[in-house]
Amino acid sequence: MSVSELSASEAKKPVTPGMSQVTSVSQLSDVRPTDWAFQALQSLVERYGCIAGYPDRTYRGNRALTRFEFAAGLNACLDRVNELIAASTADLIKKEDLTALQKLQEEFAAELATLRGRVDTLEARATTLERQQFSTTTKLTGNVWFNLTGAFPSGDITTERSLAAGGSSAFIPPTRVGGVPTRVARTRTPSVTFSYYTFLNLTTSFTGRDQLVTQLVSGNGNSPANELVSSGFFNSWGVPITDQTGVVTTGSLAVRELFYSFPLNDSVRVAFGPRLNFYRYFDQNRFTFFLTGASSFNSSGSTLVNAVDRGSGAVVIWNITPQFRLTGAYLAENTEFLNPAAGFNTSSNPSRGLFRSTNTISAELAYSPSSAFNFRFLYTRSNLFPYNGFIGGGVGEPVPYGYLDDGFGGRLRDSTADAIVANFDWLITPKFGVFGRYSYGRTEINPVSPIRAEGSVRVQSFQFGLGFPDLGKKGALGVLSFLVPHQYLSGRQFLLSGNGDGGTQYELEASYFYPVNRNLAIVPSFYAIFNPNNFDSNPTVFVGNVRTQFSF
């Protein structure tokens, strides 16, 4: 490495990463005794020790240099001379050397002054950062969303709800009358809402390779579309993920994620903790990431997985090759917005614990032959523990929405379920891509009553979409997504809510992520919901959302 390539900070150190200190000019493989500068280099290397080479033992002396680069190298040699003088080794310095250095110092006085000024400024900034930093081990980041949302039905919407409280609750299961779940007509257009949702992320590292992640959440969102859904369908259509409360009590603060991850070796990483986020590790897609792409609950991931959004357990990620990655996890339900007092079976509840709460075992194989194409195959085995006697709601996947009973209004025992998901994204050109997702699930029906027959519910969902990166601006992304969130193939007689009149709901979503700058983005989105709640007789519902997205 030449004198000219030493930076201001490097001038104070004989060797920095990427350079190799040499003690003899002969160690520089591309320097020969016939080179015109050989003697000068020999003197600087062997007498003063202020020259370093590249890691491959080359000097690369033919590189052009700027005056600032030369000044940085000169400064390094001046510092070395001062060290020799201070150590009373001035006899090593010849008078002609000092004269030459004096002339160089005068010639480059302006550059040296600028260089020293820059170093002083950097040192002052470093001192300020050390005094004002949040933590020596922890980094604080955050996300804040403001959501302006409206839902506009084109007529009265039929729902399957309980008649209690005038049918106002989407959480109370309906009852069967003559074998048919009770229905409630929603005749009023919901009011437009303006809400917030926020994450505070604390990422701590003790070794530089490990991470202790604590994510705090708060919000007060409740999409107007929720006024129009059947029981168990809360947040099920036309709802951006960021338009939610995310906590048990509106406006309170909860821990959304809490886990520790570390590498076992260069290819295997482990994460474990009381609250791991399933979607951090599984079923990802470049065009359906909720921060920048298709952002609704139905579009951002498969509707058939996972019964455990956040859970206690462990995840193992194995990067088999640059093209193949295998991820496996065991998670026991511990989601921040589900209240055990309401009957949910969580891993922190001693009556259920880590292995008797609702839990899932998942494995995903991802294949990426190039940076433009990704394919993922996911399998999940679920043990579903009914809450209040029914399977469904927030912990019912692969029954995505609604509730299951024994077909006659009776309760169910613990049940098992299986789901598979195939998911791909393909960036065909830098500004155009396609993506798709297919899911299939099967849930066993295990009635409490011995006179009721066992059975199963089979359901599929599929999605196809187009992505337009850098649309209108670098970093922007436009997405069109068409999806069928739940098409029941058999077992509809067990649907206490969700069967509708035998129809199939389908949706069209359009969103546009527009980054104003590094920390601010505006994301308008539009949803059309056809056959809402699986009623062919229901009119179309249109939902619009504009979110302002801050990150720091």
Side-chain angles (χ1 to χ4, degrees):
M1 188 172 188
S2 67
V3 175
S4 64
E5 292 176 85
L6 291 171
S7 71
S9 59
E10 290 165 348
K12 297 188 176 182
K13 299 178 288 186
V15 181
T16 61
M19 297 187 298
S20 178
Q21 181 64 54
V22 293
T23 58
S24 173
V25 72
S26 62
Q27 293 176 280
L28 299 171
S29 62
D30 59 345
V31 176
R32 296 174 177 82
T34 56
D35 290 333
W36 68 271
F38 179 82
Q39 290 185 346
L41 286 172
Q42 186 177 44
S43 177
L44 289 171
V45 170
E46 297 175 7
R47 295 185 60 209
Y48 295 108
C50 60
I51 294 294
Y54 284 93
D56 60 355
R57 294 292 181 177
T58 61
Y59 179 65
R60 305 179 193 179
N62 291 324
R63 268 192 80 247
L65 71 157
T66 66
R67 290 176 65 88
F68 279 125
E69 289 174 327
F70 183 81
L74 176 61
N75 189 63
C77 286
L78 287 174
D79 287 346
R80 178 60 178 154
V81 168
N82 289 332
E83 289 176 5
L84 292 172
I85 293 174
S88 299
T89 56
D91 56 316
L92 294 177
I93 306 172
K94 296 181 178 181
K95 182 177 180 180
E96 54 266 30
D97 290 341
L98 291 175
T99 301
L101 285 173
Q102 184 178 9
K103 290 181 178 179
L104 285 171
Q105 192 170 8
E106 293 172 354
E107 171 70 17
F108 288 89
E111 286 83 357
L112 288 171
T114 301
L115 182 66
R116 291 188 174 111
R118 288 180 177 179
V119 172
D120 292 342
T121 300
L122 288 173
E123 289 179 346
R125 289 180 178 178
T127 301
T128 300
L129 287 173
E130 288 175 357
R131 290 175 178 174
Q132 297 180 354
Q133 67 182 342
F134 172 75
S135 168
T136 58
T137 59
T138 302
K139 181 179 180 180
L140 172 65
T141 60
N143 307 93
V144 179
W145 299 274
F146 296 161
N147 284 281
L148 182 66
T149 312
F152 309 97
S154 53
D156 294 348
I157 301 298
T158 301
T159 68
E160 294 174 303
R161 293 191 180 193
S162 170
L163 301 180
S168 61
S169 176
F171 295 98
I172 305 174
T175 55
R176 290 188 184 267
V177 178
V180 178
T182 52
R183 299 177 178 180
V184 175
R186 306 296 289 173
T187 60
R188 186 174 64 88
T189 298
S191 298
V192 173
T193 61
F194 188 50
S195 63
Y196 74 89
Y197 190 52
T198 185
F199 294 163
L200 289 178
N201 313 295
L202 301 168
T203 304
T204 302
S205 182
F206 306 102
T207 67
R209 300 184 67 194
D210 64 339
Q211 285 187 332
L212 174 65
V213 175
T214 305
Q215 185 180 79
L216 305 178
V217 61
S218 184
N220 70 344
N222 181 359
S223 173
N226 288 324
E227 295 292 300
L228 308 172
V229 301
S230 290
S231 294
F233 274 56
F234 196 82
N235 286 345
S236 67
W237 41 270
V239 181
I241 284 181
T242 58
D243 191 9
Q244 62 167 304
T245 300
V247 287
V248 174
T249 304
T250 299
S252 63
L253 188 67
V255 176
R256 187 174 185 266
E257 294 187 53
L258 180 59
F259 66 90
Y260 179 68
S261 69
F262 60 93
L264 285 181
N265 52 43
D266 290 339
S267 60
V268 178
R269 190 171 188 89
V270 175
F272 72 95
R275 191 158 278 173
L276 286 154
N277 185 359
F278 173 86
Y279 305 102
R280 181 184 283 264
Y281 305 99
F282 296 96
D283 197 29
Q284 297 176 351
N285 189 292
R286 82 170 81 216
F287 296 115
T288 66
F289 180 47
F290 79 101
L291 288 181
T292 57
S295 57
S296 72
F297 279 89
N298 287 349
S299 280
S300 60
S302 170
T303 55
L304 304 195
V305 292
N306 193 293
V308 176
D309 293 332
R310 256 75 63 196
S312 304
V315 179
V316 179
I317 306 101
W318 178 21
N319 292 299
I320 305 171
T321 70
Q323 292 77 35
F324 286 95
R325 183 183 70 251
L326 181 63
T327 306
Y330 172 84
L331 296 176
E333 202 287 300
N334 194 12
T335 304
E336 70 282 357
F337 55 77
L338 298 180
N339 188 355
F344 290 99
N345 306 290
T346 69
S347 62
S348 59
N349 184 344
S351 66
R352 285 293 184 178
L354 185 61
F355 301 106
R356 294 189 65 248
S357 59
T358 294
N359 61 75
T360 62
I361 299 174
S362 302
E364 181 184 79
L365 180 65
Y367 173 56
S368 303
S370 71
S371 60
F373 184 84
N374 299 287
F375 177 81
R376 307 161 189 87
F377 183 81
L378 169 64
Y379 168 75
T380 292
R381 173 73 168 182
S382 301
N383 293 298
L384 305 175
F385 294 88
Y387 72 97
N388 300 323
F390 302 110
I391 288 175
V395 287
E397 292 91 343
V399 175
Y401 306 114
Y403 293 99
L404 298 180
D405 63 9
D406 65 1
F408 297 87
R411 269 45 175 178
L412 300 176
R413 300 182 188 276
D414 302 346
S415 301
T416 58
D418 299 277
I420 58 173
V421 180
N423 161 9
F424 82 93
D425 60 76
W426 181 18
L427 191 62
I428 300 174
T429 72
K431 293 193 175 184
F432 175 71
V434 296
F435 65 93
R437 184 181 276 114
Y438 175 80
S439 309
Y440 171 85
R442 185 175 186 271
T443 303
E444 298 295 330
I445 301 298
N446 186 11
V448 170
S449 173
I451 66 172
R452 301 302 181 196
E454 297 181 351
S456 65
V457 175
R458 295 188 303 120
V459 61
Q460 67 179 356
S461 69
F462 47 90
Q463 177 185 22
F464 179 78
L466 307 175
F468 303 90
D470 297 336
L471 181 64
K473 182 180 182 179
K474 187 172 180 59
L477 177 61
V479 178
L480 291 174
S481 173
F482 172 82
L483 64 102
V484 175
H486 36 60
Q487 182 179 46
Y488 289 96
L489 304 175
S490 67
R492 297 187 77 133
Q493 69 272 22
F494 299 111
L495 288 166
L496 180 59
S497 63
N499 184 45
D501 59 7
T504 298
Q505 178 176 306
Y506 60 98
E507 307 173 15
L508 181 65
E509 173 180 342
S511 64
Y512 180 52
F513 172 82
Y514 182 82
V516 177
N517 55 43
R518 183 179 177 182
N519 303 104
L520 173 64
I522 306 297
V523 190
S525 54
F526 171 81
Y527 312 88
I529 317 299
F530 305 93
N531 303 335
N533 303 323
N534 285 340
F535 281 92
D536 282 335
S537 56
N538 268 339
T540 303
V541 177
F542 301 99
V543 180
N545 171 267
V546 177
R547 78 174 183 263
T548 305
Q549 185 167 298
F550 304 90
S551 60
F552 59 89

